[in-house]
Each structure stands twice: as structure tokens, then as C-alpha cells.
Amino acid sequence: MKSSARLSRIVMKFGGTSVADLERIRRVARLVAAESRAGHQVAVVVSAMAGRTNELVAWTDGAGAAAPGLAPSDEEYDVVVASGEQVSAGLLAMTLRNLGHNARSWLGWQVPIYTDDSHGKARIDEVPPEKLEAALAAGEIPIVAGFQGIDRQGRLSTLGRGAGDLSAVAVAASLRADRCDIYTDVDGVYTTDPRIEQRARRLPKISYEEMLEMASLGARVLQSRSVELAMAQRVPLRVLSSFVEPGAADNVGTIVCDEEEIVEKHIVSGVAYSRDEAKISLFGLPDHPGVASEIFGRLADANVNVDMIVQSHSRSPGSANMEFTVGKRDAARALELVLSAKGEIGLEDATLDDNVAKVSVIGVGMRSNTGVAQTMFRALADKGVNIQVISTSEIKISVLIDAAYTELAVRALHSAYGLDKA
């Protein structure tokens, strides 16, 4: 991480709650103006006002009298839902101009942010820096509409829900920014959700790998694709609060950086949870090669993301049982896909349980310490929490439990690993 004295270029990103109304936009403008007055070249990326994207999505679904009977179209869906960011960018640029700063809004196609043609969930291909570089060199503060880009056929595209962070990291990487500041409604990354555990502590630093695991496992501070891109491009991130006045001494946030930049590494850095889980159980699967490939191939073709998977032998010779998890939104469709292939695969039955939650412990210190799993399992057993499915990686352990025990499990694990101690 470069010291603040050497910083020359910063990308600042503001989420929906940060620009939810005109008063908050004025606060954001003061934060941006303060960085500009400090001598930095500043580019800004904004999300739509809080709740606006949900409203626009509902319109595309034809919900209510405002838009009855709309035919589905991925391209036109993008045109509609991307308009929220356009409003935020324009309002912030106007506010900065009223404060005497040279600011201009930039839409995704004007930058341009090139993407593939997977409308509604496009992936960024390239962000040529020339236009934004020229704007910064001319003393302008570019205000970029997040969440959107343009495909190679010239059609507007969107990057998926919550992808404003991804836009910011992509712009920061393109501009070779010294830092990308993600402003949210919290003042950093915590050891767990403070709404569940009051003794949760803000982490001064966290590694890219840990943050990526936490983001993908339910922590909503940063979007997982943005962390993945920051790690690949080595873009330093800082998470901090937008609900402060410029220059607040205690608004230092959390730095997301290389593991080597963290002097004191904890065995476990955080506890994450997700209630957006559903478990599908398959019974009486033929126990021979190719069955799993057939099942998960069908799910992949339908863009259903599968997470935790466990297979075991059944009581019937030559057959097996399997359990896996998907997001709740995809659960009914996943079950339908599996049951539609019941006769072809030779499956006896399948069931769905969406009353489950995933709780995870994350830490780079797991690589060099033993007993992490034992501590987790003992802490849950002491509280009477039954584990249904287990999944591990080099720096995390996840368990699937009954959703009713989510908060109890989070608090127990937070205490078991000493995360409540300064």
C-alpha cells in the first residue's frame, strides 16, 4: 500500500444508500470535493439511489399497472434498469458544479466500458483509459455510472446486481489508480455482522483472499466479483463510511490488500453467514461414473450455481445419495430440472429444504494452524447446533445448519476463535 502522501489518483465509489436522496448526494459531493482539494485526481463511480433498481426491475417484470404485459427482452431490460445510475451520476455532477468544481457525468457507453453480450449479467472485457485520462488531465472530476457498459454490437449492457463495486475496480485498474475507495453505510469490514454480535470488531486490514471468501459467503460489504478483479489487478481497496463529514479522523476504514502487507495474521479473521441457501437432497442415485456430470451439467446449462456438495452411499447396493446447495432464487428451478431427468438418470426421489443457512469461518492463518475445524465443530456442538453439510477450502470452513440457529452459531464461533477480544 502506498502512503497517503504519495497518492495522486483515487477512484471513489458510492453505493445506493450513500446517494439515496439529495441531502446524501450533497454529503457525497463534499467528500469528493475534499479529496480534489487535497491535490488528488479523482474519478467517481456511483450506484442508483437506494431502492430505485428494485423499482425498475419490477417494471420490467410487468408488475403492477405501470407496465402490464411487457414481453421479456434482455437487451431492453438493461436499458431500463441502467437508468438509475444515470440519474445519480447527473445529480452528483450538478452538485459538484454548484460547489465550484469541474465535474461531468459519464455513462458506461461513453467511457467506454466494453462487456460481453450476456445482458443482465455481463462481464467486463476492457476499459480503455484514454477518455478518462484526458478528462483527469484537464482537471475534470468524471462521475461514472456504475453497473453498466456496452457490448461490441453497441448495445447497453448491465453487469448484474450489486456490480457498482465491480465498475469502480475496473475503472481504478484502467486508470492505474493508487487506491479505490468503496464508500458504504458501514465504516469498514468487521469480524462478523455487528447486528448479530455487538462485540464484532472492525478489521484495519484484510487480505484479498479473505475478503473474497467473506464476500462470496454472505458478507455484503463488497461484491465478490469486484474483490476478484481487485486481487487479479492488484488494486488496493479501502472500505469506509460515507455517512461522515470530510476529514473525520475516525473514518479510516478497512484496507483490502496483499496478504504480505498484513504483519499480524489471525488464524480466523471473520465469521460470515448466508440465509440465501436451499438444500436439494437426491436419493437412490445410480452409483456409477457420469451421473454427477449429468446432473450438474443440466444445472450449469440453466445457469444455476451450485455450492456445497456431499455424496454418500445409500442402504441400497449400487446406489448413492447426494446433497447440494443453491441460492433460494434458483431452488425451485433446480429441483424441477433434477426431477425432469428422474427417469433418464435413474433417480428415486429428490427433496428441497430452504430452511437452512450457511455459516463460515475465514482466515489465511488456517494454512499453518491445526485444530481449526475441531474448534468450530466443538463450539457448535456445545450449543446443540447440528451440522448438515461441510465444505472447506484452504482458508475457510463452511457448514450448513438449520436456519433457526444462524445467530446462535455466529455468536458461538465469534467467541470460540477469540474475535471478540481486542
Side-chain angles (χ1 to χ4, degrees):
M1 176 69 62
K2 297 178 182 180
S3 68
S4 58
R6 298 172 56 196
L7 288 179
S8 58
R9 183 170 291 175
I10 299 172
V11 172
M12 305 173 73
K13 190 271 175 177
F14 296 93
T17 56
S18 300
V19 294
D21 54 40
L22 291 178
E23 179 53 41
R24 291 184 181 183
I25 288 175
R26 283 190 282 268
R27 181 188 289 118
V28 164
R30 291 194 294 271
L31 290 169
V32 174
E35 293 288 5
S36 180
R37 287 195 301 269
H40 303 305
Q41 289 184 327
V42 180
V44 182
V45 176
V46 293
S47 297
M49 292 177 165
R52 182 57 55 88
T53 303
N54 288 337
E55 180 183 32
L56 295 170
V57 170
W59 287 355
T60 67
D61 290 339
L70 286 179
S73 170
D74 288 341
E75 295 179 1
E76 302 307 335
Y77 167 92
D78 284 353
V79 172
V80 174
V81 300
S83 63
E85 282 72 16
Q86 176 174 327
V87 172
S88 299
L91 288 173
L92 180 56
M94 292 171 66
T95 306
L96 281 165
R97 288 182 178 184
N98 288 336
L99 293 176
H101 294 270
N102 178 19
R104 181 204 140 174
S105 62
W106 290 75
L107 305 187
W109 63 268
Q110 293 173 314
V111 174
I113 298 174
Y114 287 118
T115 75
D116 62 19
D117 59 0
S118 299
H119 290 274
K121 52 184 177 182
R123 300 191 69 85
I124 295 175
D125 288 337
E126 180 188 9
V127 183
E130 290 79 13
K131 291 184 178 180
L132 291 182
E133 291 270 10
L136 291 171
E140 177 189 302
I141 301 175
I143 314 297
V144 180
F147 174 62
Q148 62 179 251
I150 184 172
D151 69 19
R152 298 294 181 172
Q153 288 71 48
R155 292 290 290 176
L156 186 69
S157 57
T158 61
L159 310 176
R161 297 301 298 271
D165 291 350
L166 178 63
S167 300
V169 173
V171 168
S174 173
L175 292 175
R176 302 180 303 280
D178 295 271
R179 192 178 70 229
C180 181
D181 286 346
I182 308 292
Y183 285 81
T184 72
D185 54 1
V186 296
D187 62 348
V189 180
Y190 278 71
T191 50
T192 196
D193 188 341
R195 294 170 299 179
I196 289 180
E197 175 52 79
Q198 294 182 352
R199 294 176 294 178
R201 295 181 297 105
R202 182 183 57 79
L203 296 166
K205 288 185 177 182
I206 187 170
S207 71
Y208 290 117
E209 292 86 350
E210 290 171 319
M211 191 66 248
L212 181 58
E213 290 282 11
M214 292 184 73
S216 64
L217 292 169
R220 300 186 182 276
V221 179
L222 288 174
Q223 193 232 26
S224 58
R225 287 167 64 193
S226 69
V227 182
E228 184 179 7
L229 181 60
M231 182 167 63
Q233 298 292 329
R234 287 302 184 260
V235 175
L237 299 177
R238 183 171 64 152
V239 180
L240 65 170
S241 174
S242 63
F243 293 92
V244 295
E245 289 302 317
D250 58 346
N251 193 33
V252 294
T254 296
I255 299 292
V256 185
C257 58
D258 281 316
E259 180 182 341
E260 290 73 20
E261 296 183 42
I262 303 174
V263 177
E264 186 177 355
K265 300 178 180 64
H266 299 283
I267 298 175
V268 169
S269 296
V271 180
Y273 69 95
S274 171
R275 292 190 174 100
D276 183 28
E277 306 291 328
K279 180 180 69 172
I280 294 179
S281 302
L282 310 181
F283 303 100
L285 281 170
D287 191 12
H288 59 70
V291 174
S293 175
E294 177 67 24
I295 293 169
F296 295 117
R298 289 171 181 259
L299 295 172
D301 290 343
N303 290 319
V304 175
N305 185 47
V306 176
D307 185 16
M308 309 171 80
I309 305 172
V310 61
Q311 180 172 320
S312 61
H313 291 289
S314 71
R315 293 182 179 180
S316 302
S319 65
N321 298 329
M322 180 183 293
E323 293 180 319
F324 61 88
T325 62
V326 297
K328 282 187 177 179
R329 184 176 180 180
D330 292 326
R333 185 157 53 107
L335 181 63
E336 181 181 353
L337 286 167
V338 171
L339 290 175
S340 68
K342 185 176 178 180
E344 185 178 342
I345 296 174
L347 171 69
E348 290 181 9
D349 197 12
T351 62
L352 169 64
D353 180 5
D354 60 3
N355 190 32
V356 294
K358 179 171 60 179
V359 179
S360 310
V361 295
I362 303 103
V364 292
M366 290 186 186
R367 293 189 180 122
S368 55
N369 287 273
T370 61
V372 180
Q374 180 189 13
T375 299
M376 182 180 201
F377 302 152
R378 184 175 62 244
L380 295 177
D382 289 346
K383 297 297 183 180
V385 179
N386 185 50
I387 296 172
Q388 301 179 25
V389 182
I390 302 170
S391 173
T392 66
S393 76
E394 191 178 25
I395 64 168
K396 66 95 175 171
I397 305 171
S398 296
V399 295
L400 197 72
I401 63 173
D402 189 297
Y405 294 97
T406 306
E407 296 188 8
L408 176 63
V410 168
R411 287 192 292 266
L413 294 172
H414 194 267
S415 177
Y417 291 105
L419 296 176
D420 50 356
K421 300 174 183 177

